[in-house]
Amino acid sequence: MRNASQPARHSVRLTAVATTALLSLSLGVLPATAATPLPAPAAAAAEATSPLDRKALRASLDAIHRAGMYGAYSSVRDGSERWRGATGVADVDTRRPMRAGYEHRIGSITKTFTSVAVLQQVAKGRVDLDAPIAAHLPDLVTGERGRKVTVRMLLNHTSGIADYVLPAFPGILVNPRKALDEGQFRELAPEKLVRLGLAAQPQAPRGTFAYSNTNYLLAGLLLERVTGQDPEAYITKNVIRKAGLRHTYFPRSAYVSGPHARMYESMYGLIEPARDYSVYDMSWAGTAGAMVSTTDDLNDFYRLLLSGKLLGAAELREMKTTVATSPPGQEEGMRYGLGLFRLRMPSGGWYWGHNGSVFGAETWALSTEDGRRQMSLGYNLTKYQELGDDGMPLPNPIDTALVAHMDGALSGVPAKRTSGPLRTPQHLPLGLRLRP
């Protein structure tokens, strides 16, 4: 049995993973299946949806639990038609069943909310997307970086600023359970976390996409400087309440306030059995990944956003202006905008949204271009894969089941099983492939 008391033989492999996906608040490991790119007409057809097939949705959701996931819940919408389902257990000890509608930590989906708030300030003329960040935070981002990193670069992850997560959890590569336990009730100021990111080695040069949670803590501090308000309070009033969301919030303590599942972290088998981290001080994630929501609220939010109800046309257009996330010459499966990405599913359709992962909780929220067809999915066991000799997660049956449910829910066509995992880009320290 593998556990945190036997870390030495895993440390080399875990170090390899850490530079691409360890804790990630974000773009996580997209469990998916390899697919040959469809020609443009076929891809467009794949995004044309059909009415909800409730039997197929139920079957594909249950398949996630049968594949080994503790529990999951999903909400799917097409116009005014809705389907909600849950599978598996919310608590592995009591066997309490999972329920649709539970609150859930949504990790980096928080970034979309933060970006909307910044773009509201752009609309008011208080923030220029192409102005240097030093114009707003000269005491924090100094020197050449302060002069050359723009607000836009923060929001689309091309700033060249490193992620702070690894240095914020010292020892996590050696003994992850100890590192996570020690941080459970620790309160961290965003300025301290930003300084850790600024001091760390960047994963890519400025101007190249490299997912970094530090960018969105800086965006939160920018909001505070421009509005004179606590950024979480500002986002709550001007984004969450404006959208009419009733179960979405920044937690005020280490506890999720509403009904929720326990959230289990495996850290690729280095924490065995997987440990419940549903109680956790989320100051370490802040405006990059601390929020709690429900799958229904997320569908409401992205529908309002994509239909132009939360931002003006110019600001939404900026949000949907994307950069490549894959190295030149590599097939593209995702492009990143301003707190919003466009993702291709195996059947060929492209969808807007975001994903997020924190210790024990993973969430996906994806929509068609017009926000008519939507799928939000949450589950309560993270980093369940084993590591290969190259230090990267090996394909897992849960991956195939998760992608089949998401693809079928969005396209309206039950997904066919394929031979391998479809991976999202893997360039970030704790982020894109793993997620917080």
Side-chain angles (χ1 to χ4, degrees):
M1 176 178 293
R2 296 165 299 176
N3 56 51
S5 66
Q6 299 174 316
R9 61 196 176 106
H10 303 291
S11 60
V12 174
R13 287 192 300 160
L14 188 53
T15 299
V17 172
T19 59
T20 57
L22 187 45
L23 304 180
S24 56
L25 288 188
S26 64
L27 298 183
V29 48
L30 173 58
T33 47
T36 301
L38 299 179
E47 193 168 333
T49 58
S50 59
L52 301 184
D53 184 337
R54 298 170 186 275
K55 183 177 180 181
L57 289 169
R58 175 78 262 169
S60 63
L61 185 63
D62 285 341
I64 298 173
H65 176 54
R66 289 197 305 272
M69 177 55 61
Y70 292 163
Y73 28 70
S74 175
S75 294
V76 183
R77 287 177 22 172
D78 191 327
S80 60
E81 190 177 359
R82 299 172 181 247
W83 176 87
R84 300 165 76 215
T87 189
V89 298
D91 186 320
V92 297
D93 294 322
T94 66
R95 310 305 293 176
R96 170 168 57 98
M98 188 66 87
R99 302 290 186 195
Y102 270 167
E103 293 183 355
H104 194 68
R105 298 195 189 276
I106 62 171
S108 280
I109 292 176
T110 303
K111 291 179 174 66
T112 309
F113 289 78
T114 299
S115 182
V116 168
V118 172
L119 287 165
Q120 288 175 346
Q121 296 302 305
V122 171
K124 293 178 180 180
R126 297 174 181 169
V127 173
D128 180 344
L129 283 173
D130 296 310
I133 187 60
H136 299 287
L137 300 170
D139 51 335
L140 192 56
V141 189
T142 59
E144 180 185 20
R145 198 153 42 180
R147 296 189 301 272
K148 293 193 174 181
V149 171
T150 66
V151 175
R152 185 188 303 275
M153 288 176 175
L154 296 178
L155 298 182
N156 67 12
H157 296 293
T158 61
S159 69
I161 296 174
D163 197 289
Y164 64 82
V165 179
L166 271 182
F169 290 87
I172 194 167
L173 299 182
V174 177
N175 192 332
R177 174 171 172 171
K178 182 175 183 289
L180 298 191
D181 286 356
E182 288 177 347
Q184 187 170 11
F185 294 103
R186 177 184 53 172
E187 187 171 351
L188 293 167
E191 293 86 352
K192 177 177 181 179
L193 294 168
V194 164
R195 289 189 177 97
L196 290 175
L198 291 170
Q201 180 65 37
Q203 296 301 308
R206 185 169 52 247
T208 301
F209 177 86
Y211 194 91
S212 172
N213 294 298
T214 310
N215 291 324
Y216 274 78
L217 291 192
L218 281 166
L221 293 170
L222 164 66
L223 270 177
E224 184 174 41
R225 191 66 59 91
V226 170
T227 67
Q229 301 177 45
D230 173 86
E232 295 180 357
Y234 178 87
I235 293 168
T236 298
K237 178 180 179 181
N238 294 281
V239 183
I240 297 173
R241 290 180 182 167
K242 181 177 179 180
L245 308 181
R246 300 177 60 188
H247 303 284
T248 301
Y249 58 92
F250 286 96
R252 296 182 179 180
S253 72
Y255 297 85
V256 176
S257 61
H260 62 279
R262 293 188 180 276
M263 302 170 195
Y264 298 94
E265 177 61 57
S266 175
M267 198 64 75
Y268 304 114
L270 298 180
I271 301 176
E272 188 176 316
R275 187 162 173 79
D276 171 27
Y277 288 110
S278 53
V279 175
Y280 214 94
D281 186 309
M282 293 303 296
S283 62
W284 72 273
T287 52
M291 287 175 58
V292 172
S293 189
T294 63
T295 52
D296 283 339
D297 265 14
L298 291 177
N299 281 345
D300 287 343
F301 171 67
Y302 280 101
R303 177 168 291 188
L304 290 168
L305 175 61
L306 294 169
S307 61
K309 303 295 195 305
L310 299 180
L311 290 173
E315 289 70 43
L316 183 57
R317 187 162 54 250
E318 294 282 15
M319 194 175 204
K320 294 170 75 174
T321 299
T322 61
V323 296
T325 64
S326 302
Q330 182 174 311
E331 179 186 336
E332 283 196 330
M334 180 174 68
R335 294 184 62 87
Y336 202 93
L338 307 184
L340 188 70
F341 62 65
R342 191 165 183 252
L343 179 72
R344 186 181 63 199
M345 296 302 289
S347 63
W350 286 84
Y351 303 95
W352 289 101
H354 212 288
N355 70 327
S357 175
V358 292
F359 309 124
E362 182 101 24
T363 316
W364 288 85
L366 296 169
S367 300
T368 53
E369 178 86 26
D370 58 3
R372 178 180 175 84
R373 183 82 172 216
Q374 301 179 280
M375 182 284 317
S376 290
L377 170 71
Y379 44 97
N380 67 342
L381 172 64
T382 53
K383 304 178 195 68
Y384 47 79
Q385 300 95 338
E386 293 186 356
L387 299 180
D389 292 338
D390 60 355
M392 297 308 298
L394 295 170
N396 185 288
I398 295 175
D399 296 345
T400 302
L402 285 167
V403 174
H405 176 74
M406 291 192 287
D407 198 0
L410 290 163
S411 69
V413 179
K416 296 179 180 179
R417 295 179 65 88
T418 55
S419 59
L422 159 66
R423 318 256 185 202
T424 48
Q426 302 176 17
H427 353 246
L428 75 153
L430 327 188
L432 252 196
R433 263 231 19 126
L434 227 256
R435 314 114 85 18

